[in-house]
Amino acid sequence: MENVQQNPLGTDSIPKLMFKFSVPSIIAMIVGALYNIVDQLFIGQAVGTLGNAATNIAFPLSTSCIAVSLLFGIGAASCFNLSMGRGEKEKSPFYIGNAIIMLFSSGVILFIITQLFLTQILKACGSPNDVLPYAQTYVRITSFGFPFLILSVGGGHIIRADGSPKISMFCNILGAVINVILDAIFIFGFNMGMAGAAYATIIGQIASTVVVIIYMKNFKTVPLLAKHFKLNINYIKEVASIGMASGINQLSMMIVQIILNNSLRYYGGLSIYGEAIPIACAGITMKVSQLFFSVVIGLSQGSQPIESFNYGAKKYHRVKYTYILANKAGAIISIIAFILFQLFPMEIISLFGSGTEEYYQFATKFFRIFLFFICINFIQPITSTFFTSIGKPIKGIFLSLTRQIIYLLPLIIILPLFFGIDGIIFAGPAADLIAAITCLITISIEFKNMKQLELVEEHQNIHL
C-alpha cells in the first residue's frame, strides 16, 4: 500500500497531472487524425472529388481498426492502472501482455478479411460505381497496414498508462511526419495518385509500431516477461469488458459512416448534387471535425489514468475533480470549434480541392448544420471514458452508443423519408443535443453515488 500512496497519480495536483497526460495525448490524437486528413488534402488536390469520395468510402475500415485498438488498448490501460491503484503489482503486467497479442492478431484478421472481400466491403460502405476503382486502389494497399495501425494506436494507450505520455506522443508524431513527407513525394513527385497516399500511410504506421515494440522491451512501471504474453481468457475478457465502451464508440461510428454513405448516395442521386458530391463533402466535414474530437478524446484519455488510479485508491474527490476539469477544458475547445466551423466553412472546404457550384453549396450547408451542436459535443466522449476509467463498462458502453447508434442512426434513416437529403443534415445536431442531455443525467446520478462512497470511507476511517 505504501507504493500506492506515493504514486504521483494519487498525490500530485490534478491540473498538473491533467497537463502532463492530456497535452501529449491531445497532440498524439491530432497527429493521428492527420493521417486521414493529409491524405484527403493531397488526394483532393491531385485527384479531385472522386478521390475525396473514395477516402470517405475507405474511412469505415480505418475506424474499425481504431475500434479494435481502443478495445484492447484502453481496456488494458484501464485494467493496468486500476490494478496498480489496488496495489496488485504482480497481476498488472498480464493485462499488457495479453492486450499486445490481441492487438496485432486482430489486425492480421482484419487484413485477411479485407483482401478477400474488398469489392463487396467497399460497395457495402456506399461506394458509387465511379468512385469504386479509386477506393479499391487505396484500400487494397492500406489494408496491409492494419496490424501496424492497430498495434501502434493501442500500444500508445498502454505506453501512456505506464506514465510515458511523451513517448506515446512521439510514436504518433513520427508516423504522421513520415506520412506527410511521403504523401508529397509519392503523389506529386512520382504522380502515384491514390496508391501513393496509401503507401505513405502504411510506411508511417510501420514506423510508429517499431517505437511501440522498442518501448515494450523497456516497460517502466513493471518488467514485461515472456509469461505475461501467454494468452489467458480471463485477462482478455477483463480487458475487453473495460475497453468495450471505447471500442463500441468507434464501432458505432463505423456503422453510422456506412449508413450515412449509403443514404447520401441514394438521396444525393435524387437531388441536384448527384451521388459523389454529398459523399465527398461529408467525408471532408467528418475528418475536419475529427481534429476537434481529437482534442476532446485526448482530454478524456489524459484523464483516464488519473481517474482509474484514484478510484482504485478510493480517492473519490480527486476522481470527480478530474472529470470536471476535463469538461471545462472541453467546453473551451468546443466553443472555439463552433465559431470556426460556422464562420469559415468555405475556406476550410477549399483546402481540399476545387469543385462545382453545387459542391460548395452542399459542403457549406452540411458543415454549418451537421456540426451546429459541436459546442456541446465534448460531454459525451469525456463522460463515456469516465465510466470506463472507474471500472463501470456497462454505463460507458451505453453512453458510447447514445450519439451514434441510439440517436443518430435512426434519425439518419427516418428524417430523409420526410425531408430528403436535408433530413440527413439535420440528424447530426439533433443527435448531439439528446446525447449531451443523456450524459448529464447519467453523470449527476453517478456523482451522487460517489458522494455516498465518500461518506462510507470517512465513516470507516473514523472507526479505525
Side-chain angles (χ1 to χ4, degrees):
M1 183 62 76
E2 184 179 353
N3 290 333
V4 173
Q5 298 298 330
Q6 293 176 352
N7 193 303
L9 287 172
T11 56
D12 283 2
S13 72
I14 300 298
K16 177 183 175 181
L17 288 169
M18 281 291 294
F19 184 85
K20 176 184 176 182
F21 284 93
S22 292
V23 171
S25 181
I26 289 169
I27 294 174
M29 289 299 300
I30 290 175
V31 170
L34 288 174
Y35 269 120
N36 290 304
I37 291 176
V38 168
D39 280 350
Q40 191 100 43
L41 282 168
F42 283 108
I43 289 170
Q45 295 293 335
V47 182
T49 301
L50 295 179
N52 274 330
T55 59
N56 193 33
I57 294 300
F59 198 44
L61 291 167
S62 298
T63 306
S64 68
C65 291
I66 302 301
V68 176
S69 301
L70 300 186
L71 174 66
F72 295 112
I74 287 186
S78 296
C79 287
F80 177 77
N81 288 132
L82 284 166
S83 182
M84 292 295 291
R86 293 189 292 262
E88 300 168 347
K89 194 171 183 178
E90 293 296 322
K91 182 180 179 181
S92 57
F94 285 97
Y95 294 115
I96 305 300
N98 277 258
I100 294 295
I101 298 299
M102 293 303 299
L103 286 166
F104 190 78
S105 57
S106 298
V108 173
I109 293 171
L110 284 176
F111 159 71
I112 294 172
I113 293 173
T114 303
Q115 289 290 325
L116 290 176
F117 306 103
L118 178 62
T119 300
Q120 296 93 319
I121 290 172
L122 294 177
K123 286 184 177 180
C125 288
S127 179
N129 290 331
D130 54 351
V131 175
L132 185 60
Y134 297 92
Q136 287 173 324
T137 299
Y138 186 74
V139 176
R140 186 175 287 113
I141 298 169
T142 55
S143 61
F144 280 91
F146 286 174
F148 305 104
L149 171 60
I150 292 173
L151 182 55
S152 62
V153 174
H157 294 290
I158 294 171
I159 291 171
R160 191 179 303 111
D162 191 44
S164 300
K166 291 182 180 178
I167 301 296
S168 178
M169 176 184 68
F170 171 75
C171 176
N172 285 275
I173 290 177
L174 176 65
V177 169
I178 291 174
N179 186 27
V180 171
I181 294 172
L182 294 182
D183 262 333
I185 294 173
F186 291 164
I187 295 176
F188 294 117
F190 297 157
N191 196 28
M192 294 173 66
M194 300 296 294
Y199 283 121
T201 297
I202 63 173
I203 293 172
Q205 291 165 353
I206 291 171
S208 295
T209 303
V210 170
V211 175
V212 171
I213 293 172
I214 293 173
Y215 185 89
M216 293 303 160
K217 292 182 177 180
N218 302 278
F219 211 68
K220 187 171 65 174
T221 308
V222 292
L224 294 180
L225 307 176
K227 65 179 182 179
H228 298 138
F229 292 86
K230 184 178 180 181
L231 290 181
N232 184 303
I233 189 62
N234 293 322
Y235 289 111
I236 294 172
K237 284 170 61 177
E238 196 170 346
V239 166
S241 67
I242 295 294
M244 196 170 291
S246 299
I248 286 180
N249 189 39
Q250 290 293 316
L251 191 63
S252 62
M253 286 175 60
M254 182 193 74
I255 295 171
V256 169
Q257 286 163 4
I258 293 172
I259 301 297
L260 179 62
N261 285 343
N262 280 282
S263 296
L264 289 169
R265 181 185 63 180
Y266 177 77
Y267 290 102
L270 300 177
S271 71
I272 62 172
Y273 306 113
E275 292 181 341
I277 285 177
I279 292 175
C281 295
I284 293 170
T285 303
M286 295 300 187
K287 288 175 185 176
V288 171
S289 68
Q290 280 298 108
L291 283 175
F292 155 76
F293 279 111
S294 294
V295 178
V296 174
I297 293 172
L299 282 169
S300 66
Q301 291 176 354
S303 62
Q304 176 268 317
I306 308 170
E307 292 166 345
S308 293
F309 183 91
N310 284 285
Y311 195 86
K314 299 183 179 181
K315 297 184 177 183
Y316 303 115
H317 63 287
R318 290 175 63 83
V319 178
K320 290 190 290 185
Y321 183 35
T322 303
Y323 172 82
I324 292 170
L325 192 60
N327 275 276
K328 287 181 179 179
I332 295 171
I333 298 301
S334 299
I335 292 171
I336 294 173
F338 173 80
I339 294 171
L340 289 175
F341 294 166
Q342 291 300 313
L343 295 182
F344 307 108
M346 182 69 76
E347 290 79 0
I348 296 172
I349 291 292
S350 297
L351 294 173
F352 296 86
S354 59
T356 62
E357 181 181 347
E358 290 81 10
Y359 171 84
Y360 285 114
Q361 179 185 343
F362 183 84
T364 303
K365 187 177 183 180
F366 192 90
F367 221 104
R368 284 189 170 133
I369 298 176
F370 197 84
L371 299 179
F372 184 79
F373 275 124
I374 201 165
C375 53
I376 57 174
N377 265 353
F378 66 94
I379 299 173
Q380 191 253 0
I382 291 176
T383 306
S384 62
T385 301
F386 170 82
F387 282 103
T388 299
S389 300
I390 64 172
K392 297 189 176 182
I394 301 300
K395 290 182 179 179
I397 291 169
F398 168 71
L399 294 177
S400 295
L401 292 173
T402 51
R403 180 182 181 269
Q404 299 289 337
I405 296 295
I406 298 175
Y407 302 138
L408 182 57
L409 189 57
L411 290 172
I412 287 175
I413 296 172
I414 295 170
L415 292 184
L417 297 175
F418 302 97
F419 306 106
I421 199 165
D422 285 345
I424 299 175
I425 300 175
F426 281 97
D432 291 340
L433 178 61
I434 304 170
I437 294 172
T438 304
C439 287
L440 290 174
I441 294 172
T442 307
I443 195 64
S444 64
I445 295 172
E446 184 61 34
F447 270 25
K448 289 179 181 178
N449 293 337
M450 209 174 293
K451 182 64 178 177
Q452 293 298 317
L453 292 174
E454 284 184 286
L455 293 174
V456 171
E457 189 70 16
E458 290 175 5
H459 180 75
Q460 290 176 344
N461 290 335
I462 291 173
H463 288 80
L464 287 177

